[in-house]
């Protein structure tokens, strides 16, 4: 007996795959999932009605967690999750506890896990179709929901001097500490100083751009620009561009840059310039992907 793999049935199969306490089966006659004890009470035990759902073991679950952590672009979350995965004890519980501290990453993980499980279901269903003498269905495209998480979980708004300046300054100080701790003290302090000087060289009343906050109104990132030179209005200089460390690697920086570029193009601005003392490999990759041209670079040397 054949059955159609509807979205509703697929969701029921997902639930059954994770139920380690009882074996699940697709009831082709009723288009639903039943468990072993229900199947034994059926009048169709000898007919080709029940199909065991795809196997999903703890090894599969661990593999998903490991692949997700290895490919996660959020440095802080990645480091903590990989530490849990290598701990050897209580991995599943600890992974769940750690990821709860990063709500956006947690949502990405559940979407990633669902996609992997649905791939298993699609392969399983195609194997069954072949046993019925039917053609395999075309592979379904991966959901684009993961890419939409930034828009769903964060709020982007134009920079307001009155509302946002204090928060930007507060978060900027934390970024400076990151610079200071990432290098030996004298160099780290110098980099943080130069980075701050770029921002402080311009009147805050001249700054414009965008800030990003979570749905709960927590500051996440900003990108601010000023006219350069101040007397003109055809070139903008990026003075402040950073993402709070808990939210890095989620695509927020790219969204901010895209919004900024779109806004400046709409106003007829000819150029946008960035002259940060230190431009990381990640930032350079983002800029070049948006058609920025490299104008130079910075270097340092240990003299002692």
């Amino acid at each position: 007996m054949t059955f159609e793999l509807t979205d509703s049935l697929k969701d029921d199969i997902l639930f059954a795959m994770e139920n380690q306490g009882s074996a699940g089966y697709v009831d082709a006659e009723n288009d639903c999932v039943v468990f072993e004890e229900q199947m034994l009470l059926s009048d169709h035990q000898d007919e080709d009605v029940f199909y065991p759902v795809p196997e999903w073991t703890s090894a599969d679950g661990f593999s998903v967690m490991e692949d997700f952590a290895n490919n996660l672009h959020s440095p802080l979350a990645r480091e903590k999750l990989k530490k849990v995965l290598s701990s050897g004890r209580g991995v599943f519980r600890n992974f769940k506890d750690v990821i709860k501290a990063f709500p956006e990453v947690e949502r990405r993980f559940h979407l990633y896990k669902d996609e992997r499980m649905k791939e298993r279901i699609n392969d399983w269903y195609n194997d069954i179709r072949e046993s019925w003498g039917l053609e395999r269905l075309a592979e379904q495209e991966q959901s684009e929901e993961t890419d939409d998480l930034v828009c769903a979980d964060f709020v982007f708004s134009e920079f307001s001097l009155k509302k946002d300046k204090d928060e930007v300054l507060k978060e900027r100080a934390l970024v400076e500490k990151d610079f200071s701790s990432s290098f030996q003290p004298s160099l780290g302090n110098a980099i943080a100083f130069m980075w701050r000087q770029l921002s402080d060289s311009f009147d805050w009343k001249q700054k414009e751009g965008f800030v990003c906050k979570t749905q709960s109104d927590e500051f996440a990132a900003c990108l601010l620009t000023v006219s350069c030179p101040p007397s003109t209005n055809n070139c903008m200089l990026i003075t402040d561009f950073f993402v709070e460390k808990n939210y890095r690697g989620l695509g927020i920086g790219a969204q901010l840059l895209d919004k900024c570029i779109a806004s400046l193009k709409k106003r007829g601005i000819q150029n946008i310039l960035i002259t940060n003392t230190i431009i990381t490999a990640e930032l350079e990759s983002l800029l070049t992907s948006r058609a920025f041209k490299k104008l130079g670079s910075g270097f340092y040397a240990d003299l002692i």
Side-chain angles (χ1 to χ4, degrees), residues 42-139:
S42 170
D43 296 330
H44 302 283
Q45 295 180 37
D46 298 327
E47 297 181 20
D48 190 16
V49 173
F50 298 102
Y51 296 85
V53 303
E55 184 180 29
W56 187 260
T57 66
S58 57
D60 293 316
F62 183 86
S63 177
V64 168
M65 293 190 302
E66 190 173 45
D67 291 344
F68 177 80
N70 287 336
N71 292 287
L72 184 61
H73 297 296
S74 181
L76 185 60
R78 181 178 65 241
E79 180 182 352
K80 292 188 175 184
L81 292 176
K82 292 183 74 171
K83 184 176 180 180
V84 165
L85 292 171
S86 63
S87 64
R89 297 185 62 183
V91 170
F92 289 90
R93 168 56 62 184
N94 292 335
F95 188 95
K96 182 178 179 181
D97 290 342
V98 168
I99 207 170
K100 279 188 177 297
F102 305 91
E104 292 74 26
V105 174
E106 183 181 28
R107 285 194 63 192
R108 283 177 178 261
F109 170 71
H110 288 303
L111 285 171
Y112 178 76
K113 180 183 176 183
D114 282 353
E115 290 289 353
R116 288 282 295 271
M117 295 182 75
K118 287 176 181 177
E119 288 174 5
R120 177 74 59 87
I121 293 172
N122 291 336
D123 289 341
W124 163 83
Y125 184 59
N126 273 327
D127 288 342
I128 293 176
R129 284 180 61 86
E130 286 187 334
S131 73
W132 295 334
L134 301 176
E135 292 184 358
R136 298 177 70 89
L137 297 176
E139 291 186 9

Side-chain angles (χ1 to χ4, degrees), residues 4-290:
E4 181 183 355
L5 185 61
T6 63
D7 289 340
S8 176
L9 182 57
K10 189 178 289 188
D11 288 339
D12 290 342
I13 294 172
L14 283 172
F15 176 79
M17 287 169 68
E18 292 200 279
N19 186 341
Q20 302 295 316
S22 180
Y25 296 81
V26 171
D27 181 343
E29 182 178 48
N30 297 300
D31 293 324
C32 65
V33 172
V34 297
F35 292 95
E36 192 168 20
E37 55 273 18
Q38 296 170 296
M39 187 191 70
L40 293 175
L41 297 175
S42 170
D43 296 330
H44 302 283
Q45 295 180 37
D46 298 327
E47 297 181 20
D48 190 16
V49 173
F50 298 102
Y51 296 85
V53 303
E55 184 180 29
W56 187 260
T57 66
S58 57
D60 293 316
F62 183 86
S63 177
V64 168
M65 293 190 302
E66 190 173 45
D67 291 344
F68 177 80
N70 287 336
N71 292 287
L72 184 61
H73 297 296
S74 181
L76 185 60
R78 181 178 65 241
E79 180 182 352
K80 292 188 175 184
L81 292 176
K82 292 183 74 171
K83 184 176 180 180
V84 165
L85 292 171
S86 63
S87 64
R89 297 185 62 183
V91 170
F92 289 90
R93 168 56 62 184
N94 292 335
F95 188 95
K96 182 178 179 181
D97 290 342
V98 168
I99 207 170
K100 279 188 177 297
F102 305 91
E104 292 74 26
V105 174
E106 183 181 28
R107 285 194 63 192
R108 283 177 178 261
F109 170 71
H110 288 303
L111 285 171
Y112 178 76
K113 180 183 176 183
D114 282 353
E115 290 289 353
R116 288 282 295 271
M117 295 182 75
K118 287 176 181 177
E119 288 174 5
R120 177 74 59 87
I121 293 172
N122 291 336
D123 289 341
W124 163 83
Y125 184 59
N126 273 327
D127 288 342
I128 293 176
R129 284 180 61 86
E130 286 187 334
S131 73
W132 295 334
L134 301 176
E135 292 184 358
R136 298 177 70 89
L137 297 176
E139 291 186 9
Q140 297 182 356
E141 294 184 3
Q142 283 196 341
S143 169
E144 295 181 358
E145 189 174 358
T146 301
D147 295 330
D148 294 336
L149 279 178
V150 172
C151 296
D153 290 347
F154 296 93
V155 177
F156 294 86
S157 59
E158 291 187 3
F159 170 73
S160 165
L161 179 65
K162 183 177 180 180
K163 292 194 313 180
D164 301 322
K165 178 184 175 181
D166 289 344
E167 276 193 295
V168 171
L169 287 172
K170 177 182 176 181
E171 295 299 329
R172 191 186 73 175
L174 297 178
V175 176
E176 290 173 24
K177 287 184 179 180
D178 286 343
F179 277 132
S180 299
S181 61
S182 297
F183 302 91
Q184 53 97 349
S186 61
L187 178 62
N189 291 335
I191 292 172
F193 173 79
M194 292 298 296
W195 188 75
R196 182 174 65 251
Q197 283 292 103
L198 174 63
S199 175
D200 289 343
S201 296
F202 297 90
D203 187 340
W204 279 85
K205 293 179 181 179
Q206 298 176 340
K207 294 185 180 184
E208 58 183 88
F210 295 88
V211 295
C212 173
K213 296 182 180 181
T214 67
Q215 293 287 354
S216 56
D217 205 39
E218 294 181 1
F219 182 91
C222 74
L223 192 163
L224 306 180
T225 64
V226 295
S227 295
C228 184
S231 58
T232 66
N233 195 31
N234 54 18
C235 181
M236 302 297 289
L237 172 69
I238 295 176
T239 60
D240 304 82
F241 186 17
F242 59 88
V243 180
E244 203 275 335
K245 66 179 181 179
N246 285 340
Y247 302 111
R248 292 172 192 164
L250 300 176
I252 294 174
Q255 286 278 352
L256 280 172
L257 188 57
D258 288 343
K259 288 182 179 296
C260 178
I261 291 173
S263 174
L264 297 181
K265 281 184 176 180
K266 188 174 181 180
R267 290 165 46 194
I269 303 298
Q270 294 180 355
N271 303 104
I272 182 170
L273 178 68
I274 183 169
T275 60
N276 281 11
T277 307
I278 296 295
I279 295 181
T280 64
E282 292 81 6
L283 178 55
E284 182 174 353
S285 177
L286 173 60
L287 294 173
T288 54
S289 72
R290 266 61 178 179

